[in-house]
Amino acid sequence: TRLRILTSCFMVFLGVTFITAIIRIFARNFPYMKVLITAAAVILLGISITDIDTYIARYNIDAFESGKIKYAEDIIYDFDNSDPGVYAEMVRLYESDKLKETQRYDLMLCMSNKIYEYYEIDTKKVNGETQFTFTEREITHDFRSFNLEKRRGEAQVKAFVQEHKEDVVEFLKEEYWYY
């Protein structure tokens, strides 16, 4: 999780602090404050540049694929904030032959959060059969919070729905009461 990564970064900084303090005890002319300020700047710059959410989501997808994580719900935490490459990996994983049916269902559950975000899904009974209609939600993108990566992810989720509409409908038939 994000908290584990940030805590690890802080622990690295504490390690640098203790090492520089020990060096300072034996070498009086050692510029320990310059080293600490430089280390703090490098660590903060690294945290700022790195896309932590995407890193965590990719790690969780790999762990799910290898079996370390049993449920795709554990991926959901960082899925919403990650880059579109993660969406593409989820689709690739969904389409792979290595998954069991329960794992495929878990991935669809994970994707359903985004599907519900981008589509208004209406249900109606026709001859005793539940039918679903997908209507794209009107999402207003304020120029002040525009994010190109999020827009690409939105396009990938919509392409997933169009390509796997039968699977999405089957999933909704089982789970639509939940939402």
Side-chain angles (χ1 to χ4, degrees):
T1 62
R2 185 182 301 130
L3 182 60
R4 285 183 184 168
I5 290 178
L6 294 178
T7 302
S8 297
C9 291
F10 182 69
M11 289 172 63
V12 167
F13 179 72
L14 286 179
V16 170
T17 302
F18 289 132
I19 290 170
T20 56
I22 291 170
I23 293 172
R24 173 70 175 179
I25 290 172
F26 296 111
R28 286 305 218 182
N29 294 334
F30 183 71
Y32 73 97
M33 280 308 275
K34 288 182 182 177
V35 171
L36 290 180
I37 290 172
T38 303
V42 167
I43 290 172
L44 285 174
L45 184 65
I47 290 171
S48 300
I49 291 174
T50 306
D51 186 3
I52 294 174
D53 294 324
T54 300
Y55 172 78
I56 294 168
R58 287 182 195 276
Y59 176 84
N60 287 344
I61 287 172
D62 291 341
F64 178 73
E65 193 171 16
S66 68
K68 290 180 187 174
I69 294 178
K70 294 191 182 214
Y71 305 105
E73 295 169 349
D74 297 334
I75 300 173
I76 293 174
Y77 170 73
D78 298 295
F79 182 60
D80 286 342
N81 299 321
S82 50
D83 78 355
V86 174
Y87 299 105
E89 285 186 38
M90 296 266 302
V91 171
R92 177 194 56 77
L93 187 59
Y94 182 83
E95 293 170 345
S96 75
D97 296 333
K98 295 187 283 184
L99 291 183
K100 299 175 191 164
E101 197 57 40
T102 55
Q103 290 176 315
R104 190 168 271 105
Y105 177 84
D106 283 346
L107 277 176
M108 182 63 79
L109 181 64
C110 190
M111 292 286 285
S112 69
N113 292 336
K114 283 296 180 185
I115 292 170
Y116 281 105
E117 183 177 331
Y118 299 132
Y119 287 97
E120 184 72 36
I121 301 173
D122 296 318
T123 61
K124 64 180 176 180
K125 292 264 187 190
V126 177
N127 297 332
E129 179 87 18
T130 305
Q131 291 187 344
F132 295 89
T133 56
F134 294 81
T135 309
E136 282 192 35
R137 292 183 191 268
E138 184 63 39
I139 300 174
T140 57
H141 297 283
D142 187 9
F143 73 93
R144 293 171 291 179
S145 64
F146 180 77
N147 185 334
L148 183 60
E149 294 299 312
K150 195 167 188 168
R151 183 69 63 91
R152 286 183 186 151
E154 180 183 327
Q156 286 188 341
V157 169
K158 289 178 180 179
F160 174 80
V161 169
Q162 295 305 319
E163 190 173 325
H164 298 283
K165 200 163 205 159
E166 298 84 28
D167 294 344
V168 172
V169 168
E170 283 301 314
F171 171 80
L172 291 174
K173 283 182 181 177
E174 295 177 22
E175 292 292 325
Y176 80 95
W177 54 269
Y178 180 72
Y179 289 95

